[in-house]
Amino acid sequence: MSAETRTEEKTFFGHPRGLATLFGTEMWERFSWYGLRAILATFMAASPAASGLGLSQQTATALVGVYGALIYLVALPGGWIADRILGARRAVLWGGFIIMCGHISMAIPVNGGAFVALGLLLIITGTGLLKPNISAMVGKLYPEDEDARRDAGFSIFYLGINIGAFAAPLVVGWLASGDRWHLGFSAAAVGMALGLWQYAAGRRHLRGAGDAPGHRLTPRERRRFATAAGGATAAAAGALALWAASGTFSLGAFSLVVTLLIVAVPVGYFAYILLGSHNLTEDERSGMKAYIWLFAAAAVFWMLYDLAPTVLLFFAQDRTDLSLFGVGITAATTQAFNPLFIAVLVPVFAALWVKLGNRVTAPHKFAFALSMNGLSFVVMALAAKLAEQGRISVWWLVLVYLVQVFGELALSPVGLSITTRLAPAAFKGQMLGVWFIAIAVGDAVGGQTARLRDYVSEPMYFLTLALIALAAGALMFAFVPRLNRLMREHHQEEAAAGSPPA
């Protein structure tokens, strides 16, 4: 398409109209995801008399952690299915429809957890199809030679994510207050339905992006895939049935087993890369060794950071005076602090990293992020100690989320970038999904940390998590020189110093 034609057609802030379609779809999908996330743990822990599931806070925390972990883990097969079978456009459509069905299932006002379990399973499945592929479609709206416009388009796209993430806890939390949980779940379903409507209505603006699979399977390969997928599903269902029949099944034990399986995924994957015969160069091998350190640091970071919709949400509900500027708020409203701070501080940190340049490398940023996370939980330990005397101001949580966002903006933006740079040539595509496995591992393990509450006081629990993060941050700082050598950062800095400025 010529530049003249592009200027004549209607645009969305100077970008292809298809960006508006994807912007709205992602905004409403994130509204549904963050809306559910803001009330799920408190719903699970609420008593049956309050229309909840009556689980302990520890079990609810573990289950929400596993749920969040699986959301990120299924991005890998979801991207593969789009690339090999459905194409990105249909994967997003089916994914959104399945997510909506999941929220509808959870909104059915019946006692028991059957419809809740079905709903969460559907949401996990649908998100695996939608989340990785809608981002890929944004990139396909632009010609190959328009990198600057593409980057700006992604910035607008991510604005939609933050709008949905900020609005959801406010709206869904308010609707679900007074034990109206299923009304909150219904709002999440309506949000996804609005996203689907916008996606279908704006299809003509997508210019065919994602219509066809990138590497379509042959009929024989599709039969093999269907057989393998069916066999794996049957085996998993059979194992669960046998476990239930044995009388030893419990939700706590189930969450622990799933957590161990999730942790085993990156262990096996990295062993496969480093121990297998893949013709890795010495630079690629050293880069992967450095990446394992960064992966582990990221997992520790998310282990604490993603306790927001569970442990910190329960603290807001049980230990704080839910009032801001004299206005009463819901516990779910505290989940809106994070996206608000991100939206405000992203330009600040972007300018800061540009100013610091090569003096601050990726290991420095990861170490700083862990330190900020640790500091936020030192604040939580102090807040918990004060809360032993009675409810405290919710402004303590505002401070905690502010400090945590300092850490996220140091780690999260650089994660995918460093993943693509350190990935061996033979694993470039796969490694993008590996970064999300770090979040999955962190979420799953973080959910299990609530078990510590049976053995230590609440202030000591928070202080223990703080010490883990601070120790990990100190270790990262100590190994920055070695990691830089493994990553060949010093070589890049020397090359930059000897070349003219761009």
Side-chain angles (χ1 to χ4, degrees), residues 230-254:
T233 302
L240 282 175
L242 289 174
W243 190 4
S246 71
T248 60
F249 179 87
S250 70
L251 291 175
F254 172 75

Side-chain angles (χ1 to χ4, degrees), residues 208-263:
D211 278 357
H215 307 281
R216 190 187 298 272
L217 295 179
T218 64
R220 180 181 178 184
E221 289 172 333
R222 295 186 69 162
R223 287 193 296 270
R224 289 173 57 188
F225 166 73
T227 301
T233 302
L240 282 175
L242 289 174
W243 190 4
S246 71
T248 60
F249 179 87
S250 70
L251 291 175
F254 172 75
S255 69
L256 179 59
V257 169
V258 175
T259 296
L260 294 174
L261 292 174
I262 291 172
V263 171

Side-chain angles (χ1 to χ4, degrees), residues 37 41 61-62 64-65 301-315 335 373 377 401 404 442-450 461-462 465:
R37 189 175 185 255
T61 298
V64 173
F301 176 87
W302 295 113
M303 180 184 78
L304 275 67
Y305 190 86
D306 277 350
L307 290 176
T310 52
V311 173
L312 300 191
L313 181 63
F314 287 129
F315 187 87
Q335 299 298 290
N373 230 357
F377 273 78
Y401 285 119
Q404 286 188 350
D443 282 8
V445 175
Q448 297 301 319
T449 65
Y461 166 72
F462 288 125
L465 296 181

Side-chain angles (χ1 to χ4, degrees), residues 37 73 93 97 111 118 180 220 292 351 384 388 442 447-448 498:
R37 189 175 185 255
L73 199 64
L93 181 65
F97 177 75
N111 294 327
L118 174 62
R180 299 173 302 192
R220 180 181 178 184
I292 291 173
E388 291 179 343
Q448 297 301 319

